[in-house]
Amino acid sequence: LAGASQRADTMAKLIRYCEGVMEASWLTALVSIPLFLAPWGESTQTEKSYLLRSLTICMLTAWAIKLISQLGLGAGKWSSTGASLRTVLKTPLARPTMILVAVWVTSTVLSLDPWVSSWGTTGRRDGTYTALCCVLFFAAMATHVRSDRQIERIVTAAILTTIPICLYGIGQ
């Protein structure tokens, strides 16, 4: 009985850690992507895409570990995760987003140059992979932002990020 209790405590800590990694990832993206600037004057789109995709992979890894940990805790936690996913799927934008993703994937598969459709052109890197990362990024946020404190942190990060951007624009 003590071993099961200790295992449950360890899994609960792992779940909280994964949720922290996910929140740190989306807050990092909200702050760093708008502030990313190449002082040498070249396009920063490619670097911003790399950053977004890397943070999305970090979030998805934490999300997968969290789901596996919840599965290990028992059906109660797993069913609550399924309920939150069902709630997100019932939102008004879920079906149009799934249709859009299906169109992206279909157009990539049927493209004359699937490589460019998947990864994007050399200068921008805005292919299907980046678009899917955006969708998954916001899906992870939609399923995990639950408290007012999290919303306050997101809004604060977004507002504080605009200050240096505005000052830079005024300085130009």
Side-chain angles (χ1 to χ4, degrees):
L1 187 62
S5 174
Q6 185 179 12
R7 182 172 177 259
D9 288 342
T10 303
M11 290 295 197
K13 288 178 186 176
L14 180 61
I15 290 168
R16 282 194 305 273
Y17 180 77
C18 288
E19 288 173 346
V21 167
M22 291 176 69
E23 185 168 353
S25 295
W26 70 61
L27 289 173
T28 301
L30 284 172
V31 171
S32 62
I33 292 173
L35 290 177
F36 193 88
L37 176 70
W40 46 90
E42 293 183 20
S43 173
T44 60
Q45 190 68 28
T46 303
E47 290 82 4
K48 287 182 177 190
S49 292
Y50 290 147
L51 184 57
L52 173 71
R53 294 186 308 204
S54 298
L55 290 169
T56 302
I57 290 170
C58 182
M59 282 177 51
L60 292 177
T61 302
W63 196 2
I65 292 169
K66 177 186 171 194
L67 290 174
I68 292 167
S69 300
Q70 287 176 334
L71 183 61
L73 280 177
K77 283 284 189 178
W78 185 253
S79 63
S80 69
T81 302
S84 69
L85 285 174
R86 279 191 297 275
T87 303
V88 169
L89 292 176
K90 290 181 182 178
T91 60
L93 285 178
R95 285 194 180 136
T97 303
M98 289 188 290
I99 291 169
L100 181 62
V101 167
V103 169
W104 274 328
V105 171
T106 303
S107 66
T108 299
V109 170
L110 299 176
S111 173
L112 294 176
D113 192 350
W115 179 262
V116 173
S117 292
S118 297
W119 301 103
T121 60
T122 305
R124 293 184 52 98
R125 295 290 179 212
D126 281 343
T128 301
Y129 178 54
T130 302
L132 292 176
C133 282
C134 290
V135 170
L136 292 170
F137 182 90
F138 289 107
M141 283 186 71
T143 57
H144 288 86
V145 175
R146 292 181 302 271
S147 71
D148 290 339
R149 293 191 68 209
Q150 286 177 309
I151 294 170
E152 287 175 14
R153 285 191 290 269
I154 291 169
V155 170
T156 302
I159 290 171
L160 291 177
T161 301
T162 63
I163 294 170
I165 293 170
C166 291
L167 292 174
Y168 181 78
I170 291 169
Q172 279 189 326

